Short mmCIF file of all heavy atoms in Angstrom, two decimals:
data_model
loop_
_atom_site.label_atom_id
_atom_site.label_comp_id
_atom_site.label_asym_id
_atom_site.label_seq_id
_atom_site.Cartn_x
_atom_site.Cartn_y
_atom_site.Cartn_z
N MET A 446 115.61 73.47 112.92
CA MET A 446 114.81 74.35 112.20
C MET A 446 115.81 75.44 111.61
O MET A 446 116.55 76.02 112.27
CB MET A 446 113.82 75.08 113.07
CG MET A 446 112.89 76.12 112.43
SD MET A 446 111.78 76.96 113.50
CE MET A 446 110.70 75.69 114.00
N SER A 447 115.70 75.66 110.26
CA SER A 447 116.62 76.70 109.69
C SER A 447 116.05 78.04 109.96
O SER A 447 114.92 78.35 110.40
CB SER A 447 116.56 76.51 108.15
OG SER A 447 115.46 76.89 107.58
N GLU A 448 116.91 79.02 109.73
CA GLU A 448 116.56 80.42 109.98
C GLU A 448 115.43 80.84 109.08
O GLU A 448 114.48 81.62 109.52
CB GLU A 448 117.75 81.34 109.69
CG GLU A 448 117.53 82.86 110.01
CD GLU A 448 118.73 83.69 109.72
OE1 GLU A 448 119.81 83.27 110.12
OE2 GLU A 448 118.53 84.88 109.27
N ALA A 449 115.38 80.42 107.80
CA ALA A 449 114.31 80.71 106.96
C ALA A 449 112.99 80.20 107.41
O ALA A 449 111.93 80.79 107.25
CB ALA A 449 114.61 80.20 105.50
N ASP A 450 112.91 79.01 108.09
CA ASP A 450 111.75 78.45 108.62
C ASP A 450 111.15 79.37 109.79
O ASP A 450 110.01 79.29 110.11
CB ASP A 450 111.93 77.05 109.14
CG ASP A 450 112.24 76.10 107.92
OD1 ASP A 450 111.85 76.49 106.81
OD2 ASP A 450 112.91 75.07 108.17
N ARG A 451 111.95 80.09 110.48
CA ARG A 451 111.57 80.82 111.69
C ARG A 451 111.09 82.19 111.33
O ARG A 451 110.49 82.85 112.14
CB ARG A 451 112.83 80.95 112.67
CG ARG A 451 113.24 79.67 113.29
CD ARG A 451 114.16 79.91 114.39
NE ARG A 451 114.84 81.30 114.39
CZ ARG A 451 116.10 81.41 114.39
NH1 ARG A 451 117.01 80.44 114.45
NH2 ARG A 451 116.63 82.71 114.43
N LEU A 452 111.42 82.63 110.09
CA LEU A 452 110.96 84.00 109.76
C LEU A 452 109.53 84.02 109.30
O LEU A 452 108.96 83.04 108.86
CB LEU A 452 111.81 84.51 108.53
CG LEU A 452 113.29 84.55 108.68
CD1 LEU A 452 113.92 84.97 107.34
CD2 LEU A 452 113.66 85.62 109.72
N ARG A 453 108.93 85.24 109.50
CA ARG A 453 107.52 85.40 109.14
C ARG A 453 107.45 86.80 108.54
O ARG A 453 108.22 87.61 108.87
CB ARG A 453 106.60 85.24 110.35
CG ARG A 453 106.81 86.34 111.46
CD ARG A 453 105.64 86.50 112.35
NE ARG A 453 105.90 87.45 113.38
CZ ARG A 453 105.78 88.74 113.29
NH1 ARG A 453 105.37 89.27 112.17
NH2 ARG A 453 106.01 89.57 114.26
N PRO A 454 106.49 86.99 107.67
CA PRO A 454 106.31 88.34 107.18
C PRO A 454 106.01 89.36 108.28
O PRO A 454 105.18 89.08 109.08
CB PRO A 454 105.13 88.25 106.12
CG PRO A 454 105.02 86.80 105.87
CD PRO A 454 105.47 86.13 107.06
N ALA A 455 106.67 90.49 108.24
CA ALA A 455 106.39 91.56 109.20
C ALA A 455 105.19 92.32 108.75
O ALA A 455 104.89 92.45 107.56
CB ALA A 455 107.61 92.48 109.27
N THR A 456 104.34 92.75 109.72
CA THR A 456 103.21 93.51 109.45
C THR A 456 103.57 94.92 109.00
O THR A 456 104.66 95.39 109.32
CB THR A 456 102.21 93.54 110.63
OG1 THR A 456 102.79 94.29 111.66
CG2 THR A 456 101.86 92.17 111.14
N ALA A 457 102.64 95.52 108.29
CA ALA A 457 102.88 96.97 107.90
C ALA A 457 103.09 97.79 109.08
O ALA A 457 104.04 98.71 109.11
CB ALA A 457 101.66 97.46 107.12
N GLU A 458 102.38 97.59 110.19
CA GLU A 458 102.53 98.31 111.43
C GLU A 458 103.95 98.15 112.06
O GLU A 458 104.56 99.15 112.45
CB GLU A 458 101.48 98.01 112.44
CG GLU A 458 101.51 98.85 113.73
CD GLU A 458 100.41 98.55 114.76
OE1 GLU A 458 99.49 97.72 114.34
OE2 GLU A 458 100.39 99.08 115.74
N GLU A 459 104.42 96.92 112.08
CA GLU A 459 105.72 96.63 112.60
C GLU A 459 106.83 97.32 111.76
O GLU A 459 107.83 97.89 112.43
CB GLU A 459 106.07 95.18 112.65
CG GLU A 459 105.21 94.46 113.67
CD GLU A 459 105.39 92.84 113.34
OE1 GLU A 459 105.57 92.45 112.22
OE2 GLU A 459 105.15 92.23 114.45
N ILE A 460 106.68 97.30 110.49
CA ILE A 460 107.65 97.99 109.64
C ILE A 460 107.58 99.52 109.82
O ILE A 460 108.66 100.14 109.97
CB ILE A 460 107.47 97.67 108.14
CG1 ILE A 460 107.53 96.12 107.94
CG2 ILE A 460 108.39 98.44 107.23
CD1 ILE A 460 107.00 95.65 106.54
N ALA A 461 106.44 100.16 109.90
CA ALA A 461 106.29 101.54 110.01
C ALA A 461 106.88 101.95 111.44
O ALA A 461 107.47 102.97 111.59
CB ALA A 461 104.79 101.92 109.95
N ASP A 462 106.55 101.15 112.41
CA ASP A 462 107.10 101.50 113.85
C ASP A 462 108.66 101.41 113.78
O ASP A 462 109.30 102.44 114.35
CB ASP A 462 106.59 100.43 114.82
CG ASP A 462 105.17 100.63 115.14
OD1 ASP A 462 104.54 101.63 114.92
OD2 ASP A 462 104.62 99.65 115.77
N SER A 463 109.25 100.48 113.12
CA SER A 463 110.72 100.39 113.05
C SER A 463 111.27 101.61 112.27
O SER A 463 112.23 102.13 112.64
CB SER A 463 111.22 99.10 112.42
OG SER A 463 110.75 98.04 113.28
N ILE A 464 110.72 101.90 111.16
CA ILE A 464 111.18 103.08 110.41
C ILE A 464 111.00 104.33 111.14
O ILE A 464 111.96 105.22 111.11
CB ILE A 464 110.45 103.11 109.01
CG1 ILE A 464 110.84 101.95 108.17
CG2 ILE A 464 110.82 104.37 108.25
CD1 ILE A 464 110.08 101.70 106.84
N ALA A 465 109.84 104.59 111.69
CA ALA A 465 109.67 105.77 112.54
C ALA A 465 110.63 106.00 113.62
O ALA A 465 111.08 107.06 113.95
CB ALA A 465 108.21 105.85 112.98
N PHE A 466 110.83 104.89 114.27
CA PHE A 466 111.87 104.85 115.46
C PHE A 466 113.21 105.22 114.92
O PHE A 466 113.92 106.08 115.44
CB PHE A 466 111.95 103.48 116.09
CG PHE A 466 112.86 103.33 117.20
CD1 PHE A 466 112.43 103.71 118.47
CD2 PHE A 466 114.24 102.97 117.10
CE1 PHE A 466 113.37 103.68 119.59
CE2 PHE A 466 115.08 102.86 118.14
CZ PHE A 466 114.65 103.26 119.44
N ALA A 467 113.63 104.57 113.70
CA ALA A 467 114.92 104.98 113.11
C ALA A 467 115.05 106.42 112.82
O ALA A 467 116.12 107.01 112.80
CB ALA A 467 115.22 104.09 111.89
N LEU A 468 113.89 107.12 112.39
CA LEU A 468 113.95 108.41 112.02
C LEU A 468 113.97 109.33 113.17
O LEU A 468 114.51 110.52 113.09
CB LEU A 468 112.60 108.76 111.20
CG LEU A 468 112.62 108.17 109.74
CD1 LEU A 468 111.26 108.33 109.18
CD2 LEU A 468 113.66 108.73 108.83
N ARG A 469 113.57 108.90 114.29
CA ARG A 469 113.63 109.69 115.59
C ARG A 469 114.84 109.50 116.40
O ARG A 469 115.19 110.33 117.20
CB ARG A 469 112.38 109.38 116.37
CG ARG A 469 111.14 109.86 115.83
CD ARG A 469 109.90 109.70 116.79
NE ARG A 469 109.84 108.63 117.63
CZ ARG A 469 109.17 107.43 117.20
NH1 ARG A 469 108.51 107.39 116.08
NH2 ARG A 469 109.14 106.54 118.05
N TYR A 470 115.56 108.45 116.34
CA TYR A 470 116.65 108.01 117.18
C TYR A 470 117.84 107.67 116.38
O TYR A 470 117.75 106.95 115.31
CB TYR A 470 116.30 106.89 118.12
CG TYR A 470 115.30 107.36 119.15
CD1 TYR A 470 114.01 107.08 118.98
CD2 TYR A 470 115.70 107.90 120.33
CE1 TYR A 470 113.05 107.43 119.97
CE2 TYR A 470 114.82 108.21 121.34
CZ TYR A 470 113.42 108.01 121.09
OH TYR A 470 112.55 108.35 122.08
N GLU A 471 119.05 107.95 116.80
CA GLU A 471 120.36 107.49 116.29
C GLU A 471 120.84 106.65 117.50
O GLU A 471 121.45 107.18 118.43
CB GLU A 471 121.23 108.64 115.87
CG GLU A 471 122.59 108.27 115.40
CD GLU A 471 122.37 107.76 113.94
OE1 GLU A 471 121.57 108.27 113.25
OE2 GLU A 471 123.14 106.78 113.64
N GLY A 472 120.78 105.31 117.38
CA GLY A 472 121.09 104.44 118.50
C GLY A 472 120.12 104.79 119.59
O GLY A 472 118.90 104.62 119.52
N ARG A 473 120.68 105.25 120.73
CA ARG A 473 119.76 105.61 121.89
C ARG A 473 119.61 107.10 122.09
O ARG A 473 118.84 107.59 123.00
CB ARG A 473 120.29 105.06 123.22
CG ARG A 473 120.23 103.53 123.26
CD ARG A 473 120.76 103.11 124.54
NE ARG A 473 120.55 101.61 124.63
CZ ARG A 473 120.47 100.89 125.74
NH1 ARG A 473 120.68 101.60 126.89
NH2 ARG A 473 120.25 99.64 125.81
N LYS A 474 120.19 107.81 121.19
CA LYS A 474 120.08 109.30 121.32
C LYS A 474 119.06 109.85 120.45
O LYS A 474 119.02 109.53 119.15
CB LYS A 474 121.51 109.91 120.84
CG LYS A 474 121.52 111.38 120.99
CD LYS A 474 122.86 111.87 120.64
CE LYS A 474 122.91 113.45 120.77
NZ LYS A 474 124.17 113.91 120.17
N ARG A 475 118.13 110.57 121.00
CA ARG A 475 116.98 111.25 120.20
C ARG A 475 117.61 112.25 119.25
O ARG A 475 118.35 113.05 119.60
CB ARG A 475 116.09 111.86 121.08
CG ARG A 475 114.85 112.33 120.35
CD ARG A 475 113.63 112.56 121.18
NE ARG A 475 112.46 112.94 120.46
CZ ARG A 475 111.50 112.23 120.08
NH1 ARG A 475 111.49 110.92 120.37
NH2 ARG A 475 110.46 112.73 119.45
N VAL A 476 117.12 112.15 117.95
CA VAL A 476 117.58 113.05 116.89
C VAL A 476 116.57 114.27 116.96
O VAL A 476 115.43 114.13 116.83
CB VAL A 476 117.46 112.43 115.49
CG1 VAL A 476 117.89 113.45 114.50
CG2 VAL A 476 118.34 111.19 115.53
N ALA A 477 117.18 115.48 117.32
CA ALA A 477 116.38 116.66 117.56
C ALA A 477 115.60 117.08 116.27
O ALA A 477 114.56 117.61 116.36
CB ALA A 477 117.23 117.81 118.01
N HIS A 478 116.16 116.84 115.08
CA HIS A 478 115.51 117.30 113.86
C HIS A 478 114.50 116.39 113.32
O HIS A 478 113.83 116.78 112.36
CB HIS A 478 116.61 117.68 112.86
CG HIS A 478 117.23 116.43 112.29
ND1 HIS A 478 118.37 115.92 112.96
CD2 HIS A 478 116.95 115.66 111.29
CE1 HIS A 478 118.69 114.81 112.29
NE2 HIS A 478 117.89 114.60 111.25
N ALA A 479 114.19 115.35 113.97
CA ALA A 479 113.18 114.34 113.53
C ALA A 479 111.85 114.45 114.36
O ALA A 479 111.76 113.89 115.32
CB ALA A 479 113.69 112.94 113.65
N ASP A 480 110.91 115.24 113.87
CA ASP A 480 109.67 115.39 114.53
C ASP A 480 108.88 114.11 114.53
O ASP A 480 108.93 113.38 113.45
CB ASP A 480 108.86 116.52 113.76
CG ASP A 480 107.55 116.74 114.36
OD1 ASP A 480 107.51 117.20 115.57
OD2 ASP A 480 106.52 116.33 113.74
N GLU A 481 108.23 113.76 115.55
CA GLU A 481 107.58 112.54 115.62
C GLU A 481 106.48 112.33 114.65
O GLU A 481 106.34 111.29 114.04
CB GLU A 481 106.94 112.38 117.09
CG GLU A 481 106.43 110.99 117.35
CD GLU A 481 106.38 110.76 118.91
OE1 GLU A 481 107.06 111.40 119.68
OE2 GLU A 481 105.52 109.90 119.18
N MET A 482 105.61 113.33 114.35
CA MET A 482 104.61 113.25 113.40
C MET A 482 105.14 113.04 111.96
O MET A 482 104.69 112.21 111.27
CB MET A 482 103.66 114.52 113.39
CG MET A 482 102.59 114.37 112.46
SD MET A 482 101.38 113.17 112.82
CE MET A 482 100.46 113.94 114.01
N MET A 483 106.20 113.77 111.66
CA MET A 483 106.82 113.64 110.35
C MET A 483 107.40 112.25 110.16
O MET A 483 107.34 111.62 109.04
CB MET A 483 107.85 114.79 110.10
CG MET A 483 108.43 114.77 108.70
SD MET A 483 107.18 114.80 107.43
CE MET A 483 106.65 116.53 107.61
N ALA A 484 108.02 111.76 111.20
CA ALA A 484 108.63 110.43 111.20
C ALA A 484 107.58 109.40 110.92
O ALA A 484 107.78 108.48 110.13
CB ALA A 484 109.37 110.05 112.51
N ARG A 485 106.43 109.49 111.61
CA ARG A 485 105.33 108.52 111.38
C ARG A 485 104.71 108.55 109.90
O ARG A 485 104.55 107.61 109.25
CB ARG A 485 104.17 108.84 112.37
CG ARG A 485 102.92 108.05 112.18
CD ARG A 485 103.06 106.48 112.18
NE ARG A 485 103.76 106.05 113.28
CZ ARG A 485 104.05 104.74 113.46
NH1 ARG A 485 103.75 103.84 112.56
NH2 ARG A 485 104.70 104.35 114.49
N ILE A 486 104.51 109.85 109.44
CA ILE A 486 104.01 110.02 108.06
C ILE A 486 105.01 109.49 107.02
O ILE A 486 104.68 108.79 106.13
CB ILE A 486 103.76 111.46 107.77
CG1 ILE A 486 102.60 111.96 108.66
CG2 ILE A 486 103.53 111.79 106.30
CD1 ILE A 486 102.40 113.49 108.67
N THR A 487 106.33 109.76 107.21
CA THR A 487 107.25 109.26 106.26
C THR A 487 107.41 107.71 106.28
O THR A 487 107.43 107.12 105.29
CB THR A 487 108.72 109.83 106.59
OG1 THR A 487 108.65 111.23 106.60
CG2 THR A 487 109.81 109.36 105.81
N ALA A 488 107.35 107.18 107.53
CA ALA A 488 107.32 105.70 107.70
C ALA A 488 106.23 105.09 107.02
O ALA A 488 106.37 104.08 106.29
CB ALA A 488 107.44 105.36 109.15
N GLU A 489 105.04 105.57 107.22
CA GLU A 489 103.84 105.03 106.55
C GLU A 489 103.86 105.07 105.12
O GLU A 489 103.48 104.09 104.40
CB GLU A 489 102.50 105.64 107.11
CG GLU A 489 102.32 105.20 108.63
CD GLU A 489 101.25 105.87 109.31
OE1 GLU A 489 100.59 106.80 108.70
OE2 GLU A 489 100.93 105.44 110.46
N ARG A 490 104.42 106.19 104.50
CA ARG A 490 104.49 106.35 103.09
C ARG A 490 105.50 105.35 102.53
O ARG A 490 105.27 104.76 101.48
CB ARG A 490 104.87 107.74 102.76
CG ARG A 490 103.70 108.75 102.93
CD ARG A 490 103.88 110.07 102.23
NE ARG A 490 103.88 109.85 100.73
CZ ARG A 490 104.27 110.81 99.99
NH1 ARG A 490 104.59 111.93 100.40
NH2 ARG A 490 104.24 110.64 98.68
N LEU A 491 106.57 105.19 103.21
CA LEU A 491 107.60 104.25 102.76
C LEU A 491 107.05 102.83 102.77
O LEU A 491 107.31 102.02 101.82
CB LEU A 491 108.88 104.32 103.62
CG LEU A 491 109.74 105.45 103.46
CD1 LEU A 491 110.81 105.60 104.52
CD2 LEU A 491 110.47 105.42 102.10
N VAL A 492 106.32 102.46 103.77
CA VAL A 492 105.76 101.08 103.86
C VAL A 492 104.73 100.94 102.68
O VAL A 492 104.84 99.84 102.08
CB VAL A 492 105.07 100.87 105.22
CG1 VAL A 492 104.18 99.60 105.19
CG2 VAL A 492 106.08 100.83 106.35
N ARG A 493 103.89 101.89 102.44
CA ARG A 493 102.99 101.70 101.26
C ARG A 493 103.76 101.49 100.00
O ARG A 493 103.35 100.68 99.13
CB ARG A 493 102.13 102.94 101.25
CG ARG A 493 100.96 102.92 102.21
CD ARG A 493 99.83 103.94 101.88
NE ARG A 493 100.39 105.28 101.74
CZ ARG A 493 100.55 106.21 102.62
NH1 ARG A 493 100.14 105.85 103.86
NH2 ARG A 493 100.90 107.40 102.38
N HIS A 494 104.82 102.31 99.79
CA HIS A 494 105.61 102.17 98.52
C HIS A 494 106.25 100.81 98.56
O HIS A 494 106.22 100.28 97.46
CB HIS A 494 106.70 103.21 98.54
CG HIS A 494 107.58 103.11 97.39
ND1 HIS A 494 107.19 103.46 96.08
CD2 HIS A 494 108.86 102.62 97.23
CE1 HIS A 494 108.15 103.19 95.23
NE2 HIS A 494 109.22 102.70 95.91
N LEU A 495 106.84 100.32 99.56
CA LEU A 495 107.53 99.03 99.63
C LEU A 495 106.51 97.93 99.23
O LEU A 495 106.84 97.05 98.47
CB LEU A 495 108.27 98.74 100.87
CG LEU A 495 109.45 99.65 101.15
CD1 LEU A 495 110.00 99.42 102.59
CD2 LEU A 495 110.58 99.36 100.15
N ARG A 496 105.42 98.01 99.97
CA ARG A 496 104.37 96.92 99.69
C ARG A 496 103.87 96.99 98.22
O ARG A 496 103.70 95.92 97.62
CB ARG A 496 103.18 97.11 100.64
CG ARG A 496 103.60 96.78 102.06
CD ARG A 496 102.35 96.85 103.03
NE ARG A 496 101.76 95.48 103.02
CZ ARG A 496 100.62 95.31 103.50
NH1 ARG A 496 100.00 96.25 104.12
NH2 ARG A 496 100.18 94.12 103.48
N GLY A 497 103.64 98.15 97.72
CA GLY A 497 103.24 98.30 96.33
C GLY A 497 104.32 97.89 95.35
O GLY A 497 103.92 97.53 94.18
N SER A 498 105.50 97.92 95.78
CA SER A 498 106.62 97.44 94.88
C SER A 498 106.89 96.02 94.94
O SER A 498 107.80 95.41 94.36
CB SER A 498 107.88 98.25 95.18
OG SER A 498 107.70 99.62 94.93
N GLY A 499 106.12 95.26 95.84
CA GLY A 499 106.28 93.83 95.94
C GLY A 499 107.28 93.39 96.96
O GLY A 499 107.71 92.16 97.04
N PHE A 500 107.79 94.32 97.80
CA PHE A 500 108.83 93.86 98.89
C PHE A 500 108.07 93.11 99.96
O PHE A 500 106.91 93.40 100.42
CB PHE A 500 109.46 95.15 99.46
CG PHE A 500 110.59 95.62 98.56
CD1 PHE A 500 110.27 96.57 97.55
CD2 PHE A 500 111.88 95.24 98.71
CE1 PHE A 500 111.28 97.08 96.84
CE2 PHE A 500 112.83 95.73 97.93
CZ PHE A 500 112.56 96.72 96.95
N VAL A 501 108.76 92.18 100.60
CA VAL A 501 108.30 91.49 101.73
C VAL A 501 109.42 91.57 102.75
O VAL A 501 110.55 91.17 102.48
CB VAL A 501 108.00 89.96 101.36
CG1 VAL A 501 107.67 89.22 102.67
CG2 VAL A 501 106.88 89.84 100.34
N VAL A 502 109.09 92.10 103.94
CA VAL A 502 110.08 92.17 104.98
C VAL A 502 109.79 91.10 105.95
O VAL A 502 108.63 90.89 106.39
CB VAL A 502 109.99 93.60 105.69
CG1 VAL A 502 110.97 93.65 106.79
CG2 VAL A 502 110.33 94.66 104.68
N MET A 503 110.85 90.28 106.34
CA MET A 503 110.62 89.16 107.24
C MET A 503 111.11 89.55 108.63
O MET A 503 111.99 90.44 108.82
CB MET A 503 111.36 88.02 106.75
CG MET A 503 111.09 87.55 105.37
SD MET A 503 109.34 87.31 105.11
CE MET A 503 109.22 85.53 105.79
N ARG A 504 110.52 88.89 109.68
CA ARG A 504 110.89 89.13 111.06
C ARG A 504 111.01 87.85 111.73
O ARG A 504 110.26 86.92 111.56
CB ARG A 504 109.76 89.96 111.66
CG ARG A 504 109.99 90.33 113.08
CD ARG A 504 108.86 91.16 113.58
NE ARG A 504 109.31 91.57 114.91
CZ ARG A 504 109.06 92.71 115.47
NH1 ARG A 504 108.42 93.61 114.75
NH2 ARG A 504 109.36 92.90 116.72
N GLU A 505 112.01 87.82 112.65
CA GLU A 505 112.22 86.62 113.44
C GLU A 505 111.29 86.61 114.61
O GLU A 505 110.95 87.73 115.18
CB GLU A 505 113.63 86.63 114.09
CG GLU A 505 114.77 86.18 113.14
CD GLU A 505 115.97 86.01 113.89
OE1 GLU A 505 116.30 84.91 114.33
OE2 GLU A 505 116.70 87.01 113.96
N PRO A 506 110.74 85.55 114.96
CA PRO A 506 109.85 85.39 116.16
C PRO A 506 110.63 85.84 117.29
O PRO A 506 111.75 85.50 117.57
CB PRO A 506 109.42 83.99 116.26
CG PRO A 506 109.97 83.25 115.02
CD PRO A 506 110.97 84.17 114.39
N GLY A 507 109.94 86.57 118.29
CA GLY A 507 110.57 86.96 119.50
C GLY A 507 111.45 88.20 119.42
O GLY A 507 111.98 88.63 120.43
N ALA A 508 111.71 88.77 118.20
CA ALA A 508 112.44 89.86 118.08
C ALA A 508 111.79 91.10 118.65
O ALA A 508 110.56 91.26 118.55
CB ALA A 508 112.76 90.24 116.55
N ARG A 509 112.55 91.95 119.36
CA ARG A 509 111.89 93.06 120.10
C ARG A 509 111.65 94.15 119.10
O ARG A 509 112.46 94.47 118.28
CB ARG A 509 112.94 93.67 121.12
CG ARG A 509 112.88 92.79 122.41
CD ARG A 509 113.62 93.44 123.56
NE ARG A 509 113.26 94.84 123.62
CZ ARG A 509 113.71 95.75 124.42
NH1 ARG A 509 114.57 95.26 125.45
NH2 ARG A 509 113.23 96.92 124.54
N ALA A 510 110.50 94.78 119.31
CA ALA A 510 110.10 95.91 118.49
C ALA A 510 110.79 97.16 119.14
O ALA A 510 111.04 97.15 120.35
CB ALA A 510 108.65 96.15 118.52
N PRO A 511 111.01 98.16 118.34
CA PRO A 511 111.57 99.43 118.93
C PRO A 511 110.57 100.09 119.84
O PRO A 511 109.43 99.86 119.69
CB PRO A 511 111.93 100.27 117.79
CG PRO A 511 111.03 99.84 116.60
CD PRO A 511 110.86 98.30 116.92
N THR A 512 111.09 100.85 120.87
CA THR A 512 110.20 101.56 121.75
C THR A 512 110.57 103.02 121.72
O THR A 512 111.72 103.33 121.22
CB THR A 512 110.41 101.09 123.22
OG1 THR A 512 111.72 101.36 123.65
CG2 THR A 512 110.02 99.57 123.31
N ASP A 513 109.70 103.83 122.11
CA ASP A 513 110.03 105.30 122.22
C ASP A 513 111.05 105.63 123.33
O ASP A 513 111.39 106.68 123.48
CB ASP A 513 108.69 106.07 122.32
CG ASP A 513 107.91 106.13 121.05
OD1 ASP A 513 108.54 105.88 120.02
OD2 ASP A 513 106.71 106.35 121.17
N LYS A 514 111.09 104.66 124.22
CA LYS A 514 112.06 104.92 125.38
C LYS A 514 113.33 104.03 125.27
O LYS A 514 113.29 102.91 125.48
CB LYS A 514 111.34 104.57 126.75
CG LYS A 514 110.02 105.28 126.91
CD LYS A 514 109.37 104.72 128.14
CE LYS A 514 107.92 105.27 128.21
NZ LYS A 514 107.01 104.42 128.90
N PRO A 515 114.43 104.74 124.90
CA PRO A 515 115.57 103.87 124.68
C PRO A 515 115.95 103.27 126.03
O PRO A 515 115.78 103.74 127.09
CB PRO A 515 116.72 104.94 124.41
CG PRO A 515 115.92 106.10 123.80
CD PRO A 515 114.60 106.01 124.44
N GLY A 516 116.49 102.04 125.90
CA GLY A 516 116.83 101.23 127.11
C GLY A 516 115.79 100.37 127.67
O GLY A 516 116.03 99.64 128.70
N ASP A 517 114.57 100.38 127.18
CA ASP A 517 113.56 99.53 127.61
C ASP A 517 113.73 98.08 127.20
O ASP A 517 114.26 97.83 126.17
CB ASP A 517 112.15 100.04 127.09
CG ASP A 517 111.56 101.17 127.87
OD1 ASP A 517 112.17 101.48 128.89
OD2 ASP A 517 110.58 101.76 127.40
#
């Protein structure tokens, strides 16, 4: 099975979760200037824009989603 065959479209929620996590953390270190609510609002707006622009983000099966607790 090729890598392309294993990919599936990521859901809007998965994309927003990943973007919001990236806005709140730098690696495993929490970024002090990234408020959680603002990160979520920004992530959701970016997802709407990407979807409206025709982007498709793919995800591998079994890939771990980011968590709010680094090291989980």
Side-chain angles (χ1 to χ4, degrees):
M446 178 183 297
S447 73
E448 183 176 322
D450 293 334
R451 294 189 342 231
L452 298 177
R453 65 166 177 79
T456 66
E458 184 177 354
E459 290 170 332
I460 298 166
D462 286 347
S463 292
I464 293 170
F466 182 86
L468 291 170
R469 291 190 318 267
Y470 291 92
E471 182 72 36
R473 291 184 172 202
K474 183 178 179 185
R475 186 161 179 100
V476 180
H478 66 275
D480 178 71
E481 194 160 333
M482 180 66 76
M483 185 55 71
R485 173 55 57 183
I486 292 167
T487 301
E489 289 174 357
R490 287 194 67 187
L491 286 169
V492 169
R493 283 195 304 271
H494 175 76
L495 291 171
R496 292 183 86 189
S498 297
F500 281 85
V501 176
V502 177
M503 304 302 283
R504 182 176 182 142
E505 283 187 89
R509 282 190 48 174
T512 66
D513 287 337
K514 299 175 198 157
D517 280 352

